[in-house]
Coordinates of all heavy atoms in Angstrom, one line a residue:
S206 N -34.1 8.3 -53.1 CA -33.7 8.5 -51.6 C -33.3 7.0 -51.1 O -34.0 6.5 -50.3 CB -34.8 9.0 -50.8 OG -35.2 10.3 -51.4
T284 N -52.4 6.7 -46.8 CA -52.6 6.5 -48.3 C -53.0 7.9 -48.9 O -52.5 8.3 -50.0 CB -53.5 5.4 -48.7 OG1 -53.1 4.2 -48.1 CG2 -53.7 5.3 -50.2
K307 N -45.3 8.4 -64.5 CA -45.8 7.2 -64.0 C -46.7 7.5 -62.7 O -47.2 6.5 -62.1 CB -44.6 6.3 -63.6 CG -43.7 5.8 -64.6 CD -44.4 4.8 -65.6 CE -43.5 4.5 -66.8 NZ -42.2 3.9 -66.4
I311 N -48.6 4.9 -60.3 CA -48.2 4.8 -58.9 C -49.4 5.0 -58.0 O -49.5 4.2 -57.0 CB -47.1 5.7 -58.6 CG1 -45.9 5.4 -59.3 CG2 -46.8 5.7 -57.0 CD1 -44.8 6.5 -59.2
K323 N -47.4 -14.3 -47.5 CA -47.7 -15.7 -47.1 C -46.7 -16.2 -46.0 O -47.0 -17.2 -45.4 CB -47.7 -16.6 -48.4 CG -48.8 -16.2 -49.4 CD -48.8 -17.1 -50.5 CE -50.0 -16.8 -51.5 NZ -50.0 -17.7 -52.7
R324 N -45.5 -15.6 -46.0 CA -44.6 -16.1 -45.0 C -43.8 -14.8 -44.5 O -43.8 -13.8 -45.2 CB -43.6 -17.0 -45.5 CG -42.8 -16.7 -46.8 CD -42.0 -17.9 -47.2 NE -41.4 -17.6 -48.6 CZ -40.6 -18.5 -49.2 NH1 -40.2 -19.6 -48.5 NH2 -40.2 -18.3 -50.4
K325 N -43.2 -15.1 -43.4 CA -42.5 -13.9 -42.7 C -41.4 -13.4 -43.5 O -40.6 -14.1 -44.2 CB -42.0 -14.3 -41.4 CG -43.1 -14.8 -40.3 CD -42.5 -14.9 -39.0 CE -41.7 -16.2 -38.9 NZ -42.5 -17.5 -39.0
N331 N -28.2 -7.0 -38.3 CA -27.7 -6.0 -37.3 C -26.5 -5.4 -37.5 O -25.4 -6.0 -37.2 CB -27.8 -6.7 -35.9 CG -29.2 -7.1 -35.6 OD1 -30.2 -6.5 -36.0 ND2 -29.4 -8.2 -34.7
P364 N -25.8 -1.6 -30.5 CA -25.3 -0.7 -29.4 C -25.8 -1.3 -28.0 O -27.1 -1.6 -27.9 CB -25.7 0.5 -29.6 CG -26.2 0.5 -31.1 CD -26.7 -0.8 -31.3

Side-chain angles (χ1 to χ4, degrees):
S206 301
T284 301
K307 301 287 178 58
I311 293 170
K323 293 183 179 179
R324 55 181 169 180
K325 297 187 289 292
N331 290 333

